[in-house]
Amino acid sequence: MKVKIFSFSADLLCEYDRLKTGCSEIDKILRGGFRNNILNELVGTAGSGKTQICLYLSLMVQLPKQFGGLNKAAVYICTEDVFPIKRLYQMSSYFEQKFGIENSLDNVFISHIADSRLKKVLCFDIKHLGRFKSIGLIVIDSIGGLFRNHSSGMRYDHRSKDLAKIAEELRKLSSRFKCIILCCNQMTDNIKTGCSEPCLGLSWSNLVNSRFRITRTTSSWRTFEIIFSPDLPPAHCNFSIANTGIK
């Protein structure tokens, strides 16, 4: 029996784009920032700082690559509360002064979805936008809130199929536009174990490639933690949230 050995040169390996967060400690353990071509999830309790990071990333993605961005636009899909436009405007004011850019809000495309229209937005609306704008970041804030709001009478097998379809479309978008995918998720208490865990259970967890958790330790400080990732070891660091963004 002959065994065929396949070989290839290292220059054929895919190089992933990475988007810096603007916080040196987080970027250090992420080895340069959030990467594309995978499904990233950011979990944490309400008020931990998930939205703050996502808002700042929607500005960071507009920077040239030499400054940690991708020189592209951001799509921000909000599924729960009213989009925090005042907070984004506050961040953008400091951001534009720091990096000397103008009209950063023009490159953040916001959509508020409170029902099952998410699949339509992913399958059609974002692809249509991609014909006119170079998309570097897609945020869903949050994936857990979208399904939690319609959990009454929902069959779990149907929910699992919907989640799988959403994950599939997100990966297609990441591959098509070479953009970063970041889904926020809430925490819920498990009655059996008595521990807090991300919403949507194993049906969603098995679809996620990288999971990061934010924990609020004090009124000023948060902990950013890598739970699992295909190319990153478990690690954690501390950061704080200021009027200018995260640091």
Side-chain angles (χ1 to χ4, degrees), residues 41-44 50 142-144 183-187 198-200 204:
E41 182 194 39
L42 189 61
V43 303
K50 303 184 299 298
S142 68
I143 188 69
C183 295
C184 294
N185 198 2
Q186 300 283 3
M187 302 289 288
C199 294
L200 305 180
W204 172 252

Side-chain angles (χ1 to χ4, degrees), residues 89-202:
Y89 182 82
Q90 182 186 41
M91 284 186 178
S92 67
S93 298
Y94 291 105
F95 185 83
E96 291 175 359
Q97 293 176 12
K98 179 178 180 180
F99 292 101
I101 63 175
E102 298 180 352
N103 304 319
S104 60
L105 295 181
D106 291 345
N107 290 311
V108 181
F109 297 87
I110 304 166
S111 178
H112 192 281
I113 301 173
D115 51 33
S116 57
R117 290 186 299 113
L118 177 60
K119 287 185 290 184
K120 174 183 176 297
V121 171
L122 298 178
C123 294
F124 301 103
D125 296 357
I126 295 181
K127 291 179 181 179
H128 180 71
L129 176 64
R131 298 176 183 176
F132 310 96
K133 278 288 184 177
S134 183
I135 301 173
L137 172 68
I138 299 176
V139 173
I140 299 180
D141 186 10
S142 68
I143 188 69
L146 185 64
F147 286 88
R148 185 183 60 197
N149 292 339
H150 296 81
S151 60
S152 179
M154 177 181 290
R155 289 180 52 178
Y156 285 99
D157 56 336
H158 290 174
R159 189 183 76 170
S160 297
K161 292 180 180 179
D162 286 341
L163 289 171
K165 180 63 176 178
I166 289 172
E168 178 186 1
E169 291 300 328
L170 288 170
R171 289 193 177 91
K172 287 181 179 178
L173 290 171
S174 181
S175 176
R176 180 173 182 172
F177 299 122
K178 297 187 182 300
C179 63
I180 313 298
I181 304 295
L182 186 58
C183 295
C184 294
N185 198 2
Q186 300 283 3
M187 302 289 288
T188 185
D189 293 330
N190 189 316
I191 299 177
K192 294 182 179 180
T193 63
C195 300
S196 294
E197 57 187 32
C199 294
L200 305 180
L202 289 176

Side-chain angles (χ1 to χ4, degrees), residues 34 95 101 113-114 142 145 192 201 203 211 222 225 227 242 245:
F34 292 102
F95 185 83
I101 63 175
I113 301 173
S142 68
K192 294 182 179 180
S203 58
R211 171 170 285 169
R222 275 82 168 168
E225 183 179 4
I227 304 301

Side-chain angles (χ1 to χ4, degrees), residues 1-7:
M1 180 178 177
K2 294 183 179 181
V3 179
K4 295 182 178 181
I5 300 177
F6 296 91
S7 61

